[in-house]
Amino acid sequence: MSTHSVFADASDLAPSLFQSIVEHASDAIIVVNLDGAIMLSNPAVAEIFQRQRNDFQGELFGFPIASGELTEIEILRQDGLLAVAEMRVSEAYWERERVFIAILRDITERKRMETALHEAKEELAAVYRCAPLGVITLKTDGRVKLWNPAAENILGWKETEVVGNVLPNISAMLTHRHRVSGNRPLAAHDEAIKGREIQQLKKDGTPVDLSVSLASVRDVAGQAAGIVCIVEDISRRLRDAEKLRLSGKIFENTQEGILVTDAQGVILAVNQAFVAVTGYTAADAIGRKPNLLNSGLHDRSFYQEMWRLLIKDGHWRGDIWNRRKNGEIYPEWINISAIRDDDGNLSNYVAIFSDISKAKENEESLLRLAHFDALTGLPNRFLFQDHVALALAQAERNDKQVAILFLDLDHFKTINDTLGHRAGDNVLIEAAQRLAACLRAGDTLSRFGGDEFMAVLPDLDTSNGGSNDAAASVADKLLATLARPFIVEGQEVRISTSIGIALYPQDGQQLNVLSNAADAAMYRAKQRGRNTYCFSAPGPLTENDR
């Protein structure tokens, strides 16, 4: 505004016209003399300053006066609030006196809106820069306009490398149905695309799985101005989802029972194998603690040690006996692991177990096959050797005597030849039972094969006549029990046995020496007509040796 304005010479205006202009102007008008004192103010001044109009007469203006310049001033209102005004000053003559005319326009609301808009832009820019999701703005033809840092991290290209270019798979989403049309108003229901999953190639050529959302941007006239595209890298989420799906499949279909608890040991989930093994349904188990399976066979110290190792090492594995819902006790192999979250805090326990009843049975069967005769159930020669070694070691420590008896059934081959092997097996089974019944609990009877048996008699009582009499007494019982007839397939069968006896330590101090001595004594008994026993020479003679 030049110094020559409509008020260049206010005295040239008719007083009524001048008064009308000043009084009805929406802008605040202040006339200031050269000394800075206010000579005239209109009603708009009172409104902008929130004061009475009469208060300004003769008061110093208080603001720098620069003729012809547009400045912004802050006004402290009567109510304590700040107002912002845009002020332009011009020179004029009023009543033949040179004055300044200041015209103030209240721009408080505009400044507030500008400030809010600026802050909103800054906030939006901060979100744009810091958002973990890729924010891409596209022109209506699909070419990239803006590209934030997260988009760079996700796809590998810098903004300068993609601006003006088209992203094939994203642009392909702008189908005929969803493409922004500049000839119709915004229809969000058919133009917005939310969470569409696609695969896009990164700068290095590797594929990345994206979740893409598109929305059109329109100007004030409703015309298409562009597209905002939000992209999220969901590759890890898809991988995790696939792992979770596979884990769920494994959880439900594995043959091993699985039990999941929280950090306090309360059951959260069980699988179908758990139900099959224990008999407890998921409804039975969830919300309870695993001690519902306790068999009662393990004492408190067992569980204390298990928990000590579980807390110390984060896992525990081993055999344990548990109880099914029907009360049946069964063995299981169990592996318990402590699960921790990303912060290292204990979150869950997972127990994976399998019923090893069959394995235990097989183990016992193998053990029995390895140490016991399959036909008679007596210890075989390997277990017999262990028992003899133990008996000899104890005898040496306690200065005791041990007898080894070698038994061979007389004419047993005749039974097999005349009645068949099944009949012979039945005779062997009953003979073993009769012989075992004649021995003490600490004695051991073994079948060495065919019709041969051996017995070890530890800790012989030598108080009445020595070890010979004690061994001879047992031999007499063995001869007598086999002298009774056997009934096989409705036929009466009679057998006898020849027995050789060797004594520790007189006849030897090792099993092989004693076995050979007893074997030799048995053959002497055969030579003497069978159904008798002989001691190994050079031991003292008995009635049978005479």
Side-chain angles (χ1 to χ4, degrees):
M1 183 182 295
S2 68
T3 56
H4 298 285
S5 68
V6 291
F7 299 111
D9 192 346
S11 60
D12 293 339
L13 297 174
S16 60
L17 178 59
F18 177 78
Q19 185 70 23
S20 179
I21 293 173
V22 171
E23 290 297 319
H24 295 95
S26 59
D27 290 336
I29 300 174
I30 302 175
V31 178
V32 182
N33 64 22
L34 296 182
D35 294 327
I38 297 174
M39 299 173 65
L40 176 69
S41 63
N42 70 342
V45 175
E47 184 178 345
I48 196 171
F49 279 86
Q50 293 289 300
R51 294 170 62 185
Q52 295 297 319
R53 182 178 179 183
N54 295 334
D55 295 341
F56 296 103
Q57 193 68 28
E59 188 177 298
L60 289 176
F61 183 52
F63 294 100
I65 297 175
S67 179
E69 293 185 8
L70 185 66
T71 59
E72 289 184 5
I73 61 173
E74 289 186 345
I75 299 168
L76 181 60
R77 292 176 171 174
Q78 190 73 23
D79 56 11
L81 298 177
L82 279 176
V84 181
E86 192 175 71
M87 182 177 71
R88 187 180 297 275
V89 179
S90 61
E91 296 181 29
Y93 287 90
W94 185 55
E95 296 181 352
R96 307 301 178 180
E97 181 180 349
R98 189 180 173 200
V99 295
F100 295 102
I101 299 175
I103 300 176
L104 286 66
R105 177 167 294 173
D106 189 348
I107 60 171
T108 303
E109 184 62 22
R110 191 184 81 191
K111 294 296 291 185
R112 187 191 67 77
M113 293 180 64
E114 288 177 353
T115 300
L117 181 60
H118 175 76
E119 290 175 353
K121 286 182 178 179
E122 285 298 312
E123 290 172 357
L124 186 59
V127 171
Y128 177 81
R129 292 191 301 271
C130 301
L133 302 179
V135 180
I136 304 169
T137 61
L138 307 171
K139 295 182 179 180
T140 55
D141 59 3
R143 289 183 291 118
V144 175
K145 184 179 179 182
L146 293 175
W147 181 272
N148 78 334
E152 178 182 331
N153 292 334
I154 293 171
L155 293 167
W157 283 289
K158 296 183 181 298
E159 186 176 23
T160 54
E161 295 175 312
V162 294
V163 168
N165 295 325
V166 172
L167 298 175
N169 291 342
I170 293 178
S171 294
M173 294 174 60
L174 304 177
T175 60
H176 177 72
R177 178 184 175 191
H178 294 98
R179 189 178 300 278
V180 177
S181 171
N183 300 321
R184 57 187 175 88
L186 177 63
H189 66 277
D190 70 350
E191 290 178 356
I193 299 176
K194 297 180 180 179
R196 181 75 57 83
E197 293 184 4
I198 66 169
Q199 197 170 75
Q200 180 77 38
L201 292 180
K202 299 169 66 172
K203 180 180 179 179
D204 60 9
T206 59
V208 59
D209 294 301
L210 300 177
S211 173
V212 179
S213 298
L214 296 175
S216 58
V217 178
R218 294 187 175 275
D219 58 22
V220 293
Q223 300 300 311
I227 304 162
V228 172
C229 176
I230 306 296
V231 298
E232 178 186 5
D233 183 351
I234 58 171
S235 302
R236 180 174 179 179
R237 189 177 78 193
L238 293 181
R239 289 195 302 269
D240 291 345
E242 179 62 16
K243 289 179 182 177
L244 190 61
R245 188 187 67 82
L246 290 175
S247 296
K249 290 289 185 182
I250 293 171
F251 183 82
E252 284 304 322
N253 295 292
T254 183
Q255 297 301 305
E256 294 181 306
I258 301 177
L259 169 73
V260 182
T261 77
D262 61 15
Q264 287 70 46
V266 177
I267 298 173
L268 299 178
V270 297
N271 70 343
Q272 191 56 42
F274 171 94
V275 175
V277 171
T278 69
Y280 288 99
T281 66
D284 293 331
I286 292 174
R288 300 178 66 180
K289 292 197 172 184
N291 58 12
L292 87 160
L293 301 173
N294 282 2
S295 64
L297 298 183
H298 302 289
D299 58 20
R300 186 177 181 182
S301 62
F302 173 86
Y303 293 105
Q304 287 176 336
E305 178 64 9
M306 181 184 76
W307 278 103
R308 186 187 71 80
L309 293 174
L310 181 57
I311 293 171
K312 173 179 173 288
D313 301 330
H315 59 83
W316 183 88
R317 60 176 63 91
D319 288 353
I320 192 170
W321 289 89
N322 274 338
R323 187 185 301 272
R324 306 187 208 274
K325 187 177 181 179
N326 63 8
E328 179 186 354
I329 294 175
Y330 68 98
E332 67 181 29
W333 170 260
I334 189 167
N335 189 334
I336 307 173
S337 299
I339 307 299
R340 298 187 177 275
D341 59 23
D342 293 339
D343 297 324
N345 299 315
L346 178 67
S347 60
N348 301 93
Y349 291 104
V350 176
I352 302 175
F353 64 90
S354 55
D355 184 344
I356 57 172
S357 301
K358 293 295 183 183
K360 283 286 187 184
E361 291 173 4
N362 293 338
E363 181 181 334
E364 291 173 1
S365 297
L366 290 173
L367 182 64
R368 188 163 188 82
L369 287 173
H371 295 95
F372 293 88
D373 176 51
L375 178 64
T376 63
L378 294 177
N380 61 17
R381 66 175 64 213
F382 302 108
L383 185 56
F384 180 77
Q385 290 171 355
D386 291 341
H387 285 199
V388 172
L390 179 62
L392 296 181
Q394 290 176 339
E396 183 179 6
R397 286 195 304 271
N398 302 325
D399 195 22
K400 295 285 186 177
Q401 292 183 319
V402 177
I404 301 295
L405 280 64
F406 197 109
L407 294 78
D408 185 88
L409 301 185
D410 300 325
H411 302 300
F412 180 77
K413 184 176 182 297
T414 303
I415 298 175
N416 282 335
D417 292 343
T418 58
L419 300 178
H421 286 282
R422 187 173 68 177
D425 288 346
N426 289 334
V427 170
L428 287 174
I429 292 171
E430 186 175 347
Q433 294 170 348
R434 292 187 189 184
L435 294 172
C438 297
L439 303 180
R440 302 168 300 173
D443 301 336
T444 299
L445 176 68
S446 169
R447 181 188 178 212
F448 262 49
D451 58 356
E452 295 180 342
F453 297 85
M454 287 194 76
V456 57
L457 312 178
D459 295 332
L460 289 179
D461 182 8
T462 60
S463 59
N464 297 315
S467 58
N468 291 51
D469 288 346
S473 175
V474 173
D476 284 332
K477 292 179 181 178
L478 299 176
L479 292 172
T481 194
L482 292 184
R484 301 197 317 269
F486 292 79
I487 304 300
V488 180
E489 297 181 357
Q491 298 188 49
E492 183 178 292
V493 176
R494 291 183 178 272
I495 63 171
S496 62
T497 185
S498 299
I499 304 174
I501 304 173
L503 298 174
Y504 168 89
Q506 298 95 311
D507 299 326
Q509 299 183 11
Q510 295 179 346
L511 174 60
N512 62 332
V513 176
L514 293 169
S515 295
N516 291 335
D519 186 36
M522 184 272 296
Y523 275 105
R524 289 211 314 275
K526 292 275 189 187
Q527 293 169 354
R528 291 186 174 155
R530 297 181 172 84
N531 194 28
T532 189
Y533 63 86
C534 287
F535 282 86
S536 172
L541 295 178
T542 68
E543 185 66 26
N544 287 58
D545 284 329
R546 300 180 189 280

